[in-house]
Amino acid sequence: MPQHQPRNESMTQQDLQAIFLRTPKPEDFKLTAQEKQALDDLLAWEKRSAKTHWILGQPVGK
């Protein structure tokens, strides 16, 4: 069997560090308006759901 030869040039240590050790920036953790709205909707649903009786996955009662 012929031995597989890599097609790309070998990567240097600096190349690998750039790929695997990328430090996230503070901007990476900021929520977009759409993400904020989705989170607000989820929390509002959680509050409404806590006041509802659930039977077999369906809301029952008030």
Side-chain angles (χ1 to χ4, degrees), residues 1 19 23-24 26-27 33-34 45 57 59:
M1 255 182 169
I19 293 171
T23 306
E27 304 88 56
Q34 184 178 6
W45 179 86

Side-chain angles (χ1 to χ4, degrees), residues 30 52 54:
K30 291 185 181 176
T52 305
W54 292 81

Side-chain angles (χ1 to χ4, degrees), residues 17-50:
Q17 285 178 347
I19 293 171
F20 293 107
L21 299 179
R22 186 180 82 78
T23 306
K25 299 174 185 168
E27 304 88 56
D28 295 338
F29 296 105
K30 291 185 181 176
L31 296 176
T32 65
Q34 184 178 6
E35 291 170 329
K36 288 179 184 177
Q37 183 62 48
L39 184 59
D40 289 341
D41 292 344
L42 176 65
L43 295 175
W45 179 86
E46 181 182 26
K47 289 176 185 174
R48 288 192 313 269
S49 178

Side-chain angles (χ1 to χ4, degrees), residues 3-14:
Q3 189 175 10
H4 177 68
Q5 295 293 327
R7 295 182 200 163
N8 299 333
E9 297 176 13
S10 63
M11 298 190 77
T12 66
Q13 185 70 24
Q14 289 176 340

